[in-house]
């Protein structure tokens, strides 16, 4: 479906500029708190990858990045009550 077809149905709660501003603020905090260290950032797939990319681009400290894949819904829309790891961390 084209973006214009969705636009009348969407309510924008936070615009892109405000989100990017907050990501820059968080990156500044992480950079300050982890100055002279190398934090290992872990994101949960698949939802975190865009945020993680934006965060890493705004950091002034060196970091390592990894992702964890989890699943609790299977093919349905109702959780089956337990979490299955679909992609484990590459670094312990």
């Amino acid at each position: 479906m084209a973006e214009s077809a969705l636009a009348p149905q969407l309510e924008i709660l936070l615009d892109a500029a405000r989100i990017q501003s907050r990501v820059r603020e968080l990156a500044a905090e992480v950079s300050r708190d982890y100055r002279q260290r190398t934090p290992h950032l872990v994101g949960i797939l698949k939802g975190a990858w865009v945020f993680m990319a934006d965060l890493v681009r705004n950091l002034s400290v060196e970091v390592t990045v990894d992702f964890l894949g989890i699943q609790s819904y299977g093919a349905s829309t109702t959780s089956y009550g337990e979490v299955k790891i679909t992609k484990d961390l590459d670094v312990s």
Side-chain angles (χ1 to χ4, degrees):
M1 190 178 278
E3 185 177 324
S4 60
L6 290 176
Q9 302 171 17
L10 297 177
E11 177 184 358
I12 297 174
L13 300 177
L14 298 170
D15 64 23
R18 185 160 178 191
I19 292 169
Q20 287 303 312
S21 175
R22 183 62 181 131
V23 169
R24 285 190 298 274
E25 290 172 5
L26 288 170
E29 289 179 37
V30 170
S31 296
R32 182 183 62 245
D33 292 347
Y34 288 89
R35 186 177 42 245
Q36 298 180 3
R37 294 190 282 174
T38 305
H40 186 67
L41 306 181
V42 176
I44 305 298
L45 292 172
K46 297 182 179 176
W49 74 270
V50 172
F51 166 75
M52 292 279 285
D54 288 345
L55 180 66
V56 168
R57 278 191 288 267
N58 284 281
L59 291 170
S60 62
V61 294
E62 189 172 313
V63 298
T64 57
V65 177
D66 204 352
F67 290 93
L68 181 67
I70 59 174
Q71 179 181 37
S72 69
Y73 289 90
S76 74
T77 57
T78 304
S79 175
Y80 49 78
E82 60 185 61
V83 175
K84 174 185 171 187
I85 295 176
T86 59
K87 190 249 178 242
D88 206 349
L89 298 176
D90 295 328
V91 176
S92 67

